[in-house]
Amino acid sequence: MIPGGGQPNMQQLLQQAQKMQQDLARAQAELAATEVDGQAGGGLVKATVTGSGELRGLVIDPKAVDPEDTETLADLIVAAVQAANDNAQQLQQAKLGPLAQGLGGGMPGLGF
């Protein structure tokens, strides 16, 4: 609703849009710098990803390594990376969700 029934102040709208864009860029930069972990097999395999989903680290406990059963190790690695990515998505939701709502709804490609 526009006070007094007049036209929207385009300069003010542009400033608001620019601020939202800056806030979004700042939140995305924070996500890229923040690391989250996921694990599988009771901690035998741990994966670290950034808040934007980039795999940064993988730690495999020697007890998880069985040369006769590499399939289980592969499954543990996949599960740990998926858990880390789930945590990254939750972080994205927390950081970017309020900004997306300010833009009038969900943002395509961001999972919310």
Side-chain angles (χ1 to χ4, degrees), residues 30-74:
E30 287 176 18
L31 283 171
T34 303
E35 292 184 348
V36 293
D37 295 319
Q39 58 180 310
L44 290 176
V45 177
K46 297 177 184 176
T48 302
V49 299
T50 64
S52 59
E54 178 186 343
L55 182 62
R56 286 283 175 91
L58 187 62
V59 177
I60 302 170
D61 188 303
K63 291 181 254 174
V65 181
D66 178 358
E68 301 297 318
D69 185 16
T70 57
E71 289 176 12
T72 297
L73 178 57

Side-chain angles (χ1 to χ4, degrees), residues 93-104:
Q93 186 92 13
K95 287 266 188 202
L96 300 179
L99 293 172
Q101 290 171 357
L103 293 172

Side-chain angles (χ1 to χ4, degrees), residues 12-30 95-96 98-104 107 110:
Q12 186 178 11
L13 289 175
L14 288 173
Q15 287 174 346
Q16 288 175 340
Q18 187 175 30
K19 182 185 180 319
M20 288 172 57
Q21 185 177 16
Q22 290 169 346
D23 291 346
L24 180 60
R26 185 173 26 259
Q28 288 173 324
E30 287 176 18
K95 287 266 188 202
L96 300 179
L99 293 172
Q101 290 171 357
L103 293 172
M107 295 181 69
L110 293 178

Side-chain angles (χ1 to χ4, degrees), residues 2 5-13:
I2 300 167
Q7 293 295 316
N9 181 335
M10 292 305 286
Q11 183 66 25
Q12 186 178 11
L13 289 175

